[in-house]
C-alpha cells in the first residue's frame, strides 16, 4: 500500500476537524472536532511507522507507541472537557461558545464611560456607610 492513501485520508480528516473547530458554536461539537483532528494525527503516525519499518532493518514501532499516548491523552481530554462543559451548562444554561465568551469578558453594552474617573463605586459607598 502506498503512503499517499492514508496521508490523504488523514489530511481530509484533519481539515474536517479544523473546520469544525473554527465554525461550530457548540462546545461539545468543538470537542468532537478536536477528537477528529487527534485521530487524523494517529492515522498519520501509524502510516508513517509502517512505511518506515519496511525501510529499516530494526522495527521500533515508535509511531504506534506515540499513537497509544495520543489516545490516552485524548481520552483524558474528552473526559475533563465534557465535565467542564456540563458544569458550565448547568450554571449558565447554555453551551454556546460565543455567549460564554461574552459573559466571561464582562461587556457592558450600555454602561457608563470608563474614561472619566469615578468618585466611588457602590460597593465602596456601602462599605463606608456600614
Amino acid at each position: 500500500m502506498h503512503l499517499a492513501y492514508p496521508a490523504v485520508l488523514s489530511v481530509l480528516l484533519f481539515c474536517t476537524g479544523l473546520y469544525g473547530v473554527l465554525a461550530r458554536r457548540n462546545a461539545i461539537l468543538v470537542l468532537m472536532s478536536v477528537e477528529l483532528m487527534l485521530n487524523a494525527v494517529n492515522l498519520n503516525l501509524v502510516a508513517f511507522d509502517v512505511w518506515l519499518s519496511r525501510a529499516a532493518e530494526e522495527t521500533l514501532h515508535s509511531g504506534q507507541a506515540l499513537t497509544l499516548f495520543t489516545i490516552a491523552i485524548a481520552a483524558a481530554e474528552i473526559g475533563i472537557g465534557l465535565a467542564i462543559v456540563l458544569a458550565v451548562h448547568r450554571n449558565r444554561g447554555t453551551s454556546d461558545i460565543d455567549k460564554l465568551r461574552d459573559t466571561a469578558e464582562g461587556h457592558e453594552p450600555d454602561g457608563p464611560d470608563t474614561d472619566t474617573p469615578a468618585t466611588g463605586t457602590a460597593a465602596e459607598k456601602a462599605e463606608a456607610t456600614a
Side-chain angles (χ1 to χ4, degrees), residues 3 9 49-50 52 62 75 83 87 95 97 100 118 121:
L3 183 61
L9 179 62
D49 181 50
V50 169
L52 290 174
S62 58
S95 62
I97 294 175
L100 295 176
T121 62

Side-chain angles (χ1 to χ4, degrees), residues 34-66:
V34 169
E35 288 293 322
L36 196 62
M37 291 168 61
L38 286 173
N39 286 332
V41 170
N42 287 339
L43 179 63
N44 238 351
L45 283 171
V46 171
F48 274 97
D49 181 50
V50 169
W51 184 64
L52 290 174
S53 67
R54 289 182 184 169
E57 303 276 327
E58 302 172 1
T59 56
L60 295 176
H61 299 296
S62 58
Q64 294 177 12
L66 284 174

Side-chain angles (χ1 to χ4, degrees), residues 10-116:
S10 176
V11 166
L12 289 174
L13 283 174
F14 192 84
C15 289
T16 304
L18 185 64
Y19 173 75
V21 168
L22 295 176
R24 300 291 178 190
R25 292 184 181 172
N26 192 353
I28 294 174
L29 292 177
V30 170
L31 287 175
M32 288 174 59
S33 298
V34 169
E35 288 293 322
L36 196 62
M37 291 168 61
L38 286 173
N39 286 332
V41 170
N42 287 339
L43 179 63
N44 238 351
L45 283 171
V46 171
F48 274 97
D49 181 50
V50 169
W51 184 64
L52 290 174
S53 67
R54 289 182 184 169
E57 303 276 327
E58 302 172 1
T59 56
L60 295 176
H61 299 296
S62 58
Q64 294 177 12
L66 284 174
T67 299
L68 289 176
F69 284 120
T70 307
I71 290 171
I73 289 171
E77 176 258 335
I78 201 68
I80 292 172
L82 279 176
I84 291 171
V85 167
L86 286 175
V88 167
H89 183 69
R90 285 182 185 166
N91 289 336
R92 305 277 172 103
T94 184
S95 62
D96 188 9
I97 294 175
D98 292 334
K99 290 181 183 175
L100 295 176
R101 185 180 306 134
D102 290 341
T103 58
E105 291 173 356
H107 289 295
E108 293 181 17
D110 294 325
D113 278 341
T114 57
D115 295 338
T116 60

